[in-house]
Amino acid sequence: MMEHVEEIGSELRGRVSIVTGAGGGLGRSHAMLLARLGSRVLVNDMNLEAAERVAREIADASGEALAFAASVTDEAGIEEMVARVMATWGRVDILVNNAGILRDRSFAKMTMAEFRAVVDVHLMGSAICTKAVWDIMREQRHGRVVMTTSSSGLFGNFGQANYGAAKMALVGLMQTLALEGEKYGIKVNCLAPTAATAMTDGLLSEESFARLSPDLVSPALLALVSEDAPTRAILCAGAGHFARSNVTLTTGVHVGGGADAPRGVVANWHRISDRTGEIVPDYGFAQMERELASGPDEARSRGGAMA
């Protein structure tokens, strides 16, 4: 939390950030950190009073902030929000897609309305907000977009089929937008936070709640939005611990076609799954390129595909 003028940093000075769902919890922590690093910040939340409270905190610490109330699923509202930022500061450099909801329930008991509600906010909301700033960032030839994914999407979590599906979809969105934005200086990354917020209220012990403060997640942001930021990174953060997650591709085995191919896949399952030499592909077509490059000659050189 910013308390003194001298704590204002300069790493993001001159930059303009938008943080969604920033009226409290993790979004508030993100907004405060970005302001402390010198960025001007648009604090978005559905609750105008909450957004204004965070904006005042930033201003009281000698930062610059605006508050704007809009649901991330409201395209017109988000377009108005971005227009407000442009009219005030003339640019948008950083977008942190943080807004989210939970509707936890086992898939057997989950309604399709509960599934759609979570996908709409997390996935469609992030797409709507990103689309609203995309052309601005392309014209500037500079932009940083952070999608908020989750271990529930990356690895699964009981009772969160809707949330996990939306969060993993954001990884796919990040992968493609990073490729499309590369020549325009736009870098797109994912943050997978573990933090005690209103969304996790009642799920954690008092000790865990304290250790999982949102303030121990937000430091990850600078690495993802700075001048030297990576792109297509998935950064996991919680309790002051930071780690990378990757979507990988094993070397695999050429089994070929024919009547015996199904049995060949089963027989070679352990070799297909062998993670020795696995890669993080640079793009989706890398899978196809590897498949086309493999063949009977490669299989024979490796001792045969069929176990």
Side-chain angles (χ1 to χ4, degrees):
M1 180 175 176
M2 299 185 300
E3 295 179 351
H4 305 292
V5 173
E6 62 267 26
E7 291 184 359
I8 299 290
S10 60
E11 290 92 338
L12 300 179
R13 190 162 305 283
R15 298 303 183 190
V16 173
S17 303
I18 295 174
V19 183
T20 66
L26 190 57
R28 172 193 170 277
S29 179
H30 288 343
M32 298 294 286
L33 176 78
L34 292 170
R36 182 163 60 84
L37 293 171
S39 177
R40 292 164 286 183
V41 182
L42 184 288
V43 180
N44 159 266
D45 201 271
M46 288 185 66
N47 185 321
L48 180 59
E49 183 179 348
E52 288 177 336
R53 185 166 53 247
V54 174
R56 282 196 301 271
E57 285 186 78
I58 291 172
D60 289 345
S62 298
E64 290 186 61
L66 293 173
F68 195 95
S71 167
V72 293
T73 62
D74 178 1
E75 292 184 52
I78 294 303
E79 287 177 3
E80 183 182 348
M81 178 184 75
V82 172
R84 170 85 179 278
V85 174
M86 293 298 290
T88 305
W89 291 320
R91 60 185 300 115
V92 180
D93 298 287
I94 297 165
L95 170 65
V96 181
N97 287 305
N98 170 76
I101 61 171
L102 288 177
R103 297 290 186 270
D104 289 1
R105 197 185 298 269
S106 70
F107 192 62
K109 297 178 180 179
M110 184 180 295
T111 66
M112 283 295 96
E114 290 170 329
F115 197 99
R116 287 191 184 95
V118 171
V119 171
D120 280 348
V121 173
H122 290 274
L123 176 58
M124 293 308 300
S126 295
I128 287 168
C129 291
T130 304
K131 181 67 172 176
V133 303
W134 194 251
D135 284 345
I136 294 169
M137 291 181 172
R138 277 166 44 109
E139 290 173 11
Q140 293 172 169
R141 304 194 75 82
H142 180 278
R144 301 289 183 266
V145 178
V146 178
M147 307 290 184
T148 303
T149 186
S150 170
S151 58
S152 294
L154 297 170
F155 312 116
N157 213 25
F158 188 93
Q160 293 192 316
N162 47 6
Y163 184 74
K167 289 305 192 182
M168 195 58 184
L170 286 169
V171 174
L173 180 61
M174 175 269 287
Q175 299 278 25
T176 294
L177 292 185
L179 294 174
E180 293 185 5
E182 185 176 10
K183 69 178 181 180
Y184 299 101
I186 303 173
K187 297 183 177 182
V188 189
N189 295 289
C190 278
L191 176 62
T194 304
T197 67
M199 286 177 60
T200 57
D201 189 29
L203 301 178
L204 300 169
S205 68
E206 187 174 335
E207 179 185 357
S208 295
F209 195 91
R211 292 189 62 198
L212 293 173
S213 166
D215 292 339
L216 296 176
V217 170
S218 295
L221 276 185
L222 180 59
L224 301 180
V225 304
S226 67
E227 291 303 302
D228 297 325
T231 195
R232 299 177 67 213
I234 304 170
L235 181 57
C236 303
H241 183 269
F242 304 90
R244 288 281 302 275
S245 180
N246 291 288
V247 179
T248 66
L249 183 67
T250 66
T251 299
V253 173
H254 180 81
V255 172
D260 288 335
R263 298 182 187 89
V265 174
V266 172
N268 282 278
W269 186 251
H270 65 290
R271 293 176 61 193
I272 293 169
S273 303
D274 185 359
R275 299 187 64 177
T276 303
E278 68 181 2
I279 64 169
V280 178
D282 291 330
Y283 45 83
F285 283 135
Q287 175 186 336
M288 180 184 67
E289 290 170 352
R290 171 172 284 188
E291 290 161 350
L292 292 174
S294 71
D297 291 340
E298 181 198 29
R300 282 193 292 271
S301 70
R302 295 184 58 183
M306 308 296 264

